[in-house]
Amino acid sequence: GSEMCIRDSHIVVAGRAGGDRPDIGAIVCSCFGIGSNQISAAILNKNCLSVDAIGKELKAGTNCGSCRSEIKQILNNHISIAAQ
């Protein structure tokens, strides 16, 4: 409920995750709670270079599918940076 909203807005204001949890970034896949930083890490550290590879690694994009276009956008950003 409202307690979660207050805690989440505090995280945004503070600019870091609470406690010892790593900052997962903005939530991309709400079905599995996967953040943009986790997707970036899978691309960079696990060489996941497709939406399906991200899905195998993190499950992101494998349930309702509504985040697949956002995952593709993150992938494209990383691939275009690597190509430069």
Side-chain angles (χ1 to χ4, degrees), residues 44 73-84:
L44 297 170
Q73 196 172 3
I74 295 169
L75 274 161
N76 289 340
N77 290 344
H78 281 282
I79 291 166
S80 67
I81 291 167
Q84 288 176 3

Short mmCIF file of all heavy atoms in Angstrom, two decimals, residues 44 73-84:
data_model
loop_
_atom_site.label_atom_id
_atom_site.label_comp_id
_atom_site.label_asym_id
_atom_site.label_seq_id
_atom_site.Cartn_x
_atom_site.Cartn_y
_atom_site.Cartn_z
N LEU A 44 26.35 -7.03 -20.47
CA LEU A 44 27.79 -6.78 -20.36
C LEU A 44 28.56 -7.98 -19.79
O LEU A 44 29.65 -8.29 -20.27
CB LEU A 44 28.04 -5.55 -19.48
CG LEU A 44 27.48 -4.24 -20.03
CD1 LEU A 44 27.56 -3.14 -18.98
CD2 LEU A 44 28.22 -3.83 -21.30
N GLN A 73 15.25 -2.15 -26.51
CA GLN A 73 15.82 -0.81 -26.52
C GLN A 73 17.12 -0.76 -25.70
O GLN A 73 18.11 -0.16 -26.13
CB GLN A 73 14.79 0.17 -25.95
CG GLN A 73 15.09 1.62 -26.23
CD GLN A 73 13.92 2.51 -25.82
OE1 GLN A 73 12.92 2.05 -25.28
NE2 GLN A 73 14.07 3.79 -26.07
N ILE A 74 17.13 -1.40 -24.54
CA ILE A 74 18.34 -1.45 -23.71
C ILE A 74 19.45 -2.19 -24.47
O ILE A 74 20.60 -1.74 -24.50
CB ILE A 74 18.05 -2.11 -22.35
CG1 ILE A 74 17.07 -1.24 -21.54
CG2 ILE A 74 19.34 -2.34 -21.56
CD1 ILE A 74 16.51 -1.92 -20.31
N LEU A 75 19.09 -3.30 -25.10
CA LEU A 75 20.05 -4.06 -25.91
C LEU A 75 20.63 -3.18 -27.02
O LEU A 75 21.84 -3.13 -27.20
CB LEU A 75 19.36 -5.27 -26.56
CG LEU A 75 19.30 -6.54 -25.73
CD1 LEU A 75 18.22 -7.45 -26.28
CD2 LEU A 75 20.64 -7.23 -25.71
N ASN A 76 19.75 -2.48 -27.74
CA ASN A 76 20.21 -1.64 -28.85
C ASN A 76 21.15 -0.54 -28.37
O ASN A 76 22.14 -0.23 -29.03
CB ASN A 76 19.01 -1.03 -29.59
CG ASN A 76 18.25 -2.06 -30.40
OD1 ASN A 76 18.77 -3.12 -30.71
ND2 ASN A 76 17.01 -1.77 -30.72
N ASN A 77 20.85 0.03 -27.21
CA ASN A 77 21.73 1.07 -26.65
C ASN A 77 23.12 0.51 -26.38
O ASN A 77 24.12 1.15 -26.71
CB ASN A 77 21.14 1.64 -25.36
CG ASN A 77 19.91 2.48 -25.61
OD1 ASN A 77 19.65 2.90 -26.73
ND2 ASN A 77 19.16 2.74 -24.56
N HIS A 78 23.20 -0.69 -25.80
CA HIS A 78 24.49 -1.31 -25.49
C HIS A 78 25.23 -1.69 -26.75
O HIS A 78 26.44 -1.50 -26.85
CB HIS A 78 24.31 -2.51 -24.58
CG HIS A 78 24.11 -2.13 -23.15
ND1 HIS A 78 25.15 -1.75 -22.33
CD2 HIS A 78 22.99 -2.05 -22.39
CE1 HIS A 78 24.68 -1.45 -21.13
NE2 HIS A 78 23.37 -1.63 -21.15
N ILE A 79 24.50 -2.23 -27.73
CA ILE A 79 25.14 -2.69 -28.96
C ILE A 79 25.67 -1.50 -29.77
O ILE A 79 26.77 -1.55 -30.29
CB ILE A 79 24.16 -3.57 -29.79
CG1 ILE A 79 23.93 -4.89 -29.03
CG2 ILE A 79 24.70 -3.83 -31.18
CD1 ILE A 79 22.75 -5.70 -29.54
N SER A 80 24.92 -0.41 -29.79
CA SER A 80 25.38 0.77 -30.55
C SER A 80 26.58 1.42 -29.88
O SER A 80 27.48 1.89 -30.55
CB SER A 80 24.24 1.78 -30.74
OG SER A 80 23.88 2.34 -29.49
N ILE A 81 26.64 1.39 -28.54
CA ILE A 81 27.80 1.91 -27.82
C ILE A 81 29.02 1.04 -28.11
O ILE A 81 30.10 1.55 -28.38
CB ILE A 81 27.53 1.98 -26.28
CG1 ILE A 81 26.50 3.07 -26.00
CG2 ILE A 81 28.82 2.23 -25.50
CD1 ILE A 81 25.91 3.02 -24.60
N ALA A 82 28.84 -0.28 -28.11
CA ALA A 82 29.94 -1.20 -28.34
C ALA A 82 30.47 -1.08 -29.77
O ALA A 82 31.65 -1.30 -30.02
CB ALA A 82 29.48 -2.64 -28.08
N ALA A 83 29.60 -0.72 -30.70
CA ALA A 83 29.99 -0.63 -32.11
C ALA A 83 30.81 0.63 -32.41
O ALA A 83 31.47 0.70 -33.43
CB ALA A 83 28.75 -0.67 -33.00
N GLN A 84 30.78 1.60 -31.53
CA GLN A 84 31.48 2.86 -31.80
C GLN A 84 32.98 2.75 -31.59
O GLN A 84 33.45 2.00 -30.79
CB GLN A 84 30.93 3.97 -30.90
CG GLN A 84 29.55 4.38 -31.33
CD GLN A 84 28.94 5.42 -30.39
OE1 GLN A 84 29.59 5.88 -29.44
NE2 GLN A 84 27.70 5.77 -30.65
#
